[in-house]
Amino acid sequence: MSETFKALLLEQGSPQPEAQVRDLAIEDLPAGDVLVQVHYSGLNYKDGMILQGLGNLVRDYPHVPGIDLAGTVLESEDPRYQPGDPVVLTGYRVGETHWGGYAQRARVQGDWLVPQPEGYSARQAMAVGTAGFTAMLAIQALEDRGLQPDDGEILVTGASGGVGSIAVRLLARLGYRVTAVTGRSENTDYLQALGAHTVLPRDELAAAPDKPLLRERWVGCIDSVGGDTLAHVLATLAYGRSVAACGLAGGPQLQTTVLPFLLRGINLLGIDSVMCPAPRRRAAWSRLAQLLPGADLDALTTEISLDDLPHYGERILKGQVRGRTVVRLD
Ligand SMILES: NC(=O)c1ccc[n+]([C@@H]2O[C@H](COP(=O)([O-])OP(=O)(O)OC[C@H]3O[C@@H](n4cnc5c(N)ncnc54)[C@H](OP(=O)(O)O)[C@@H]3O)[C@@H](O)[C@H]2O)c1
């Protein structure tokens, strides 16, 4: 009999897909040139959407979700990877159009993998995951526009979430003065422990600005909220400064005017982690491993099992999950 493994399988359902932990066979896996034993996956906002069947992200069922995975190569037709190699995968629409990391085995393309960063375990790599990788890309984008630690206050919205928590920690490690915005005042101590200098209530920035330009407050921003919060940030960025737009936890619409762009020369920088080119991907991972030691990650990580995923998928969409959540597969 062929080898079986456990996976969270989504079947088409109405109004949302039905999730069940099932035993699958290796032959059930999609095509790919590397077979990976998955040790850990992670939970991102997008995983929450996929578990709930939102955003039309999954077209074909049955489906194994999980946009991130970390594990060990079992078989490889890709000369860059050998059995025993520890690897990490984020993006490339794995967990959306290709079966993902919520399974003890995954078959993927070697092109999608990066070697597990030196110094990280599989669990720690998934504590970073797509969220932390995106936070690193956002910081790099702001630095590419000239941002430096002693420039002034930098804003992080959705700060208690995955992207937000890791952005706060990374910026603090780099010596930036961070203002964290949260809708959950009970997370104030947590955010200060991550390195936030100031914690602001979400309400202060949640409304669309009543004028195109407000007082200049921030030398940069990492935004995972979008919507009116992003419109507010645009009106309050200091002259010539940039916001890295990462997410839409507060909504995908953006209603603004061009005036902050024309009169203050500000920049709206788009951040995409999914199709990020390989050289930038590897550079971001190696910088993450340097800046965020395992102990930093443990402080913001919750561990769950495959069985817990449907519940946590609902919670992340309601903004009830703090920091990063890793999914244990072994
Ligand atoms: N561009 C990319 O490649 C990329 C990659 C990763 C993630 N993302 C996007 O980035 C966003 C964050 O992802 P994540 O995995 O970090 O999710 P997450 O852990 O759920 O974090 C989102 C945070 O936003 C805040 N929030 C939630 N609902 C809100 C609302 N209605 N209005 C205002 N703030 C709200 C909450 O923080 P507080 O409670 O502290 O306010 C929440 O913890 C998502 O939209 C995700 O799709 C994009």
Side-chain angles (χ1 to χ4, degrees):
M1 220 178 87
S2 79
E3 188 196 347
T4 64
F5 61 91
K6 298 245 176 269
L8 187 84
L9 197 70
L10 285 185
E11 302 270 11
Q12 191 138 34
S14 179
Q16 64 188 58
E18 283 161 24
Q20 247 193 339
V21 177
R22 298 266 296 273
D23 286 315
L24 300 181
I26 295 292
E27 303 82 70
D28 295 329
L29 289 168
D33 50 21
V34 182
L35 178 67
V36 179
Q37 176 179 0
V38 182
H39 301 307
Y40 277 92
S41 184
L43 177 71
N44 297 278
Y45 191 90
K46 193 189 263 181
D47 292 309
M49 293 179 69
I50 290 167
L51 289 166
Q52 302 273 302
L54 301 175
N56 221 7
L57 296 168
V58 176
R59 306 287 173 92
D60 294 318
Y61 293 92
H63 176 71
V64 174
I67 68 168
D68 295 346
L69 64 88
T72 306
V73 172
L74 291 176
E75 295 169 13
S76 174
E77 288 163 25
D78 183 323
R80 292 167 296 180
Y81 295 102
Q82 310 304 322
D85 286 350
V87 289
V88 171
L89 193 158
T90 67
Y92 294 106
R93 305 202 66 201
V94 169
E96 300 176 55
T97 56
H98 189 93
W99 283 13
Y102 294 163
Q104 291 171 321
R105 299 286 183 278
R107 197 184 280 123
V108 297
Q109 293 301 121
D111 283 345
W112 301 339
L113 295 168
V114 293
Q116 186 171 292
E118 201 76 36
Y120 277 166
S121 64
R123 185 180 191 275
Q124 289 161 343
M126 288 296 92
V128 174
T130 286
F133 175 60
T134 302
M136 190 75 257
L137 293 180
I139 291 172
Q140 288 184 181
L142 293 170
E143 288 176 341
D144 289 347
R145 302 298 304 202
L147 185 71
Q148 293 190 352
D150 53 6
D151 284 352
E153 292 276 331
I154 175 155
L155 191 69
V156 176
T157 64
S160 330
V163 175
S165 293
I166 297 194
V168 170
R169 189 73 198 123
L170 285 170
L171 288 165
R173 280 256 172 220
L174 287 164
Y176 287 91
R177 200 173 153 104
V178 183
T179 296
V181 183
T182 182
R184 291 177 276 177
S185 57
E186 66 273 23
N187 288 344
T188 300
D189 289 349
Y190 164 79
L191 291 167
Q192 284 171 340
L194 290 182
H197 180 262
T198 308
V199 178
L200 286 184
R202 186 190 291 171
D203 291 350
E204 214 170 288
L205 289 99
D210 52 5
K211 293 186 283 187
L213 297 173
L214 301 174
R215 179 170 65 88
E216 295 177 50
R217 291 180 79 178
W218 321 112
V219 298
C221 173
I222 295 179
D223 175 53
S224 25
V225 172
D228 287 343
T229 300
L230 179 55
H232 198 111
V233 170
L234 291 171
T236 50
L237 275 182
Y239 190 90
R241 299 299 183 162
S242 307
V243 50
C246 301
L248 43 59
Q253 306 296 335
L254 176 60
Q255 290 187 3
T256 183
T257 74
V258 294
L259 291 176
F261 301 95
L262 306 187
L263 301 178
R264 286 193 181 149
I266 63 151
N267 308 291
L268 177 54
L269 310 177
I271 305 299
D272 170 55
S273 62
V274 178
M275 300 311 291
C276 172
R280 201 181 313 155
R281 198 174 273 275
R282 284 170 187 248
W285 273 106
S286 88
R287 198 165 173 214
L288 277 159
Q290 280 166 19
L291 286 172
L292 272 186
D296 280 23
L297 291 164
D298 293 342
L300 52 82
T301 305
T302 303
E303 182 168 315
I304 64 171
S305 69
L306 281 182
D307 293 300
D308 301 322
L309 269 166
H311 173 59
Y312 270 79
E314 280 176 35
R315 290 190 59 204
I316 198 166
L317 295 187
K318 291 182 185 156
Q320 293 172 351
V321 169
R322 187 175 88 175
R324 288 283 298 151
T325 303
V326 296
V327 184
R328 186 185 59 256
L329 274 309
D330 283 335

